[in-house]
Amino acid sequence: MKPEKMRFRTVFRVSSVKNRPPLSLSRAQTLSVSFSCMQSTNTRPSFGIAFDIDGVILRGRVPIGGSPLALRRLYDESGSLKIPFLFLTNGGGIPEPKRALELSELLGVNILPSQVVQGHSPFRNLLGRYENKLILAVGKGEPALVLTEYGFKKVLTLDEYASYFEGIDPVSEYKKWTTVPVVGRNDNFKNLVPTCDVFTERVKAAFVVSDPVDWGRDIQVLCDVLRSGGLPGTTNGHQPPLYFAADDLEYQAAFPVERLGMGAFRIALENVFNRVHHTPLQYIAFGKPKPIVFKNAESLLRQLHSSRHLNHVHHEDFASHSFRALYMVGDNPSVDIKGARQAGHPWISVLTRTGVFHGKENHEEFPADLVVDTVEEAVDYILTKECT
C-alpha cells in the first residue's frame, strides 16, 4: 500500500525558518514520530497545545480535519495524557464538565474539565463581586447553570426575567416557539433559583454567556434593564455592568458559510442602546484575542504538565516550569492568530483551512507562523518539530 503523503503549505514569519521547504510526512513516518515523542515526554514535555473547537476540531457536532486521530496521538497506549493540551474556545453555554464529556464522546478520547476553557470561564473570577447579587444570564444552552456552578447564587436567565414583566416583549404573541424554564428541565437546579422580588430588587449585572437566541427580545429587555439602572419600567439610572463572554463577529458552525457570533449581537445592542439612551453603552468583553486569555491558558497548561495525568517521572512545581513553545491551533485569523501573536513568546500560531480561513496563502493582516490544511497536519508538524 502506497504511503499517504501529508502536504503542508507553510508560511513562517520567523526568519530562522523562512526558507524551510514544505514538510511532507508519510503515515509510517508520523507514527514513528508520535512513538518517539511518547518516549521523550515520559521525562519532561517542553511544549503544549491549545486547540480552538469550532472550525478546527468540530463543525457543528461532526469531527473534522482528522481531529479524533490527531488527538489520540497526544495520549499513550493506556489512554493517559502525554502531551499537555487544552481546548481554548470562545464558545460556551454549558458547564465545562458537561462540555468535556461531550467532547470525549465525539472525539473518542478522555477530555478533562480542566482541559476546557470557554469564553465565559473567566466569569468565575467575578464571584467575589456578585456572588449574592441579582444577575442576569443571557444566551443559548444553560447560561444560568453555568453561572451557578461558578458559585453565583442569585441568577435568572433573561427568559425567566422577561416572563415576570407583562408586555415587555411586545411581539411575543407572534412567536411560534416557547421557552421551557430551567427549573422544569432540571430538578437539581430548583434549589439554585433565587428567591427575590424582581419588581423591587435591581439587577446588579448582566452576563452574555453564549450566543443569544431571540435577538429582538433580548436587545429590548437588556436596554430596559441597562438604561433604568437595573429595574425595567423605572426612570433612568446608572447602567449596571455588562459582560460578554467573547466578541467574535463570525464563527464557523455546521453551515458552510460563517455565522454571526456574539460580537455581532454586541454591535446590534450597542447601536440600539446608544440611540435610545443619553450615554454610550459600557461593557467588558472577554475571550480571544485578549492577551489575558492566553496567559491563563499557559498557566492551565503548566498545571496539566505537572498533574498526575501526565505520568511524569520528574514532577516539578508548575509555576516554575517554562515551556519552550506553546501552539495555538485555530481557524480565525482575527481571533486565534491575532491573539497568539499579541501574547508573544512562547506562543506559536497555527492556522487551519477548515473553518473561517480558506486562503491559499497566509492571512494578510494577521499572518500565522504556520498555515496548514487540517488539525491533523498541525499535530503532525508539531510532533515532528518538538520530538525529533
Side-chain angles (χ1 to χ4, degrees):
M1 183 176 178
K2 187 177 180 179
E4 178 184 355
K5 293 286 186 179
M6 305 300 296
R7 297 184 303 279
F8 292 79
R9 289 177 281 181
T10 59
V11 185
F12 295 91
R13 70 169 184 268
V14 183
S15 59
S16 62
V17 293
K18 184 181 297 183
N19 298 318
R20 182 177 182 142
L23 180 61
S24 179
L25 299 174
S26 69
R27 176 62 56 194
Q29 286 175 310
T30 57
L31 290 175
S32 175
V33 167
S34 181
F35 178 73
S36 65
C37 199
M38 293 308 145
Q39 290 182 315
S40 65
T41 54
N42 279 332
T43 304
R44 184 179 291 116
S46 57
F47 67 99
I49 310 173
F51 296 100
D52 186 25
I53 297 178
D54 295 319
V56 175
I57 302 295
L58 302 173
R59 179 169 290 186
R61 292 180 56 84
V62 179
I64 58 173
S67 56
L69 179 60
L71 293 178
R72 287 186 198 120
R73 294 173 59 197
L74 306 180
Y75 295 78
D76 65 17
E77 293 181 356
S78 69
S80 297
L81 184 64
K82 299 298 292 185
I83 306 297
F85 80 88
L86 52 73
F87 296 103
L88 190 60
T89 175
N90 280 351
I94 61 175
E96 284 78 6
K98 187 172 181 179
R99 185 62 161 150
L101 180 61
E102 178 184 88
L103 289 169
S104 298
E105 293 173 349
L106 292 173
L107 300 170
V109 293
N110 181 33
I111 304 298
L112 304 171
S114 58
Q115 288 177 274
V116 178
V117 182
Q118 302 185 103
H120 49 67
S121 295
F123 285 171
R124 57 166 57 94
N125 297 327
L126 296 170
L127 181 62
R129 190 179 305 177
Y130 301 110
E131 180 178 1
N132 295 300
K133 296 179 180 179
L134 177 60
I135 60 176
L136 294 185
V138 185
K140 67 181 181 182
E142 301 172 305
L145 183 59
V146 167
L147 295 181
T148 54
E149 291 207 356
Y150 291 163
F152 297 94
K153 294 188 170 55
K154 298 181 73 173
V155 186
L156 284 175
T157 66
L158 194 141
D159 295 332
E160 295 167 328
Y161 188 76
S163 69
Y164 288 104
F165 296 88
E166 185 176 357
I168 197 169
D169 179 7
V171 296
S172 60
E173 63 182 291
Y174 301 102
K175 295 174 181 177
K176 297 182 179 180
W177 68 85
T178 57
T179 301
V180 179
V182 175
V183 178
R185 294 200 312 265
N186 188 344
D187 291 337
N188 295 327
F189 194 69
K190 287 182 179 179
N191 294 330
L192 299 175
V193 175
T195 55
C196 62
D197 184 354
V198 297
F199 302 110
T200 60
E201 186 170 355
R202 294 182 181 272
V203 172
K204 297 303 188 294
F207 292 79
V208 184
V209 176
S210 50
D211 294 324
V213 176
D214 186 349
W215 281 34
R217 191 276 313 274
D218 292 358
I219 289 174
Q220 176 67 75
V221 176
L222 284 173
C223 281
D224 289 333
V225 169
L226 297 173
R227 66 177 173 169
S228 67
L231 192 59
T234 62
T235 57
N236 289 349
H238 182 69
Q239 181 203 311
L242 172 63
Y243 301 97
F244 289 89
D247 203 29
D248 294 20
L249 179 63
E250 295 181 310
Y251 69 101
Q252 184 64 61
F255 195 71
V257 179
E258 293 79 25
R259 301 292 84 192
L260 296 177
M262 192 180 297
F265 175 79
R266 190 267 305 164
I267 291 171
L269 172 63
E270 185 174 19
N271 276 274
V272 172
F273 184 87
N274 291 349
R275 288 292 190 94
V276 301
H277 195 49
H278 54 83
T279 58
L281 180 71
Q282 301 295 315
Y283 66 90
I284 297 176
F286 292 84
K288 299 174 293 184
K290 303 285 186 182
I292 188 65
V293 173
F294 290 83
K295 188 176 183 67
N296 179 56
E298 182 175 354
S299 177
L300 293 173
L301 285 166
R302 286 198 191 103
Q303 294 180 49
L304 285 169
H305 165 272
S306 63
S307 71
R308 59 187 176 84
H309 301 286
L310 284 176
N311 243 355
H312 291 157
V313 174
H314 301 287
H315 290 269
E316 58 188 83
D317 180 7
F318 77 88
S320 66
H321 179 71
S322 179
F323 287 107
R324 181 174 68 242
L326 291 174
Y327 293 88
M328 177 67 233
V329 183
D331 69 302
N332 193 329
S334 65
V335 175
D336 305 308
I337 306 308
K338 179 182 179 181
R341 292 186 60 181
Q342 288 179 337
H345 180 78
W347 286 95
I348 297 172
S349 56
V350 183
L351 180 60
T352 71
R353 296 184 174 92
T354 48
V356 172
F357 179 74
H358 303 286
K360 292 183 179 180
E361 303 301 330
N362 211 333
H363 190 263
E364 185 174 345
E365 184 177 2
F366 303 112
D369 294 307
L370 174 68
V371 179
V372 296
D373 286 335
T374 67
V375 66
E376 186 175 12
E377 293 182 5
V379 171
D380 283 342
Y381 170 81
I382 293 168
L383 295 184
T384 299
K385 186 174 188 297
E386 297 295 338
C387 304
T388 57

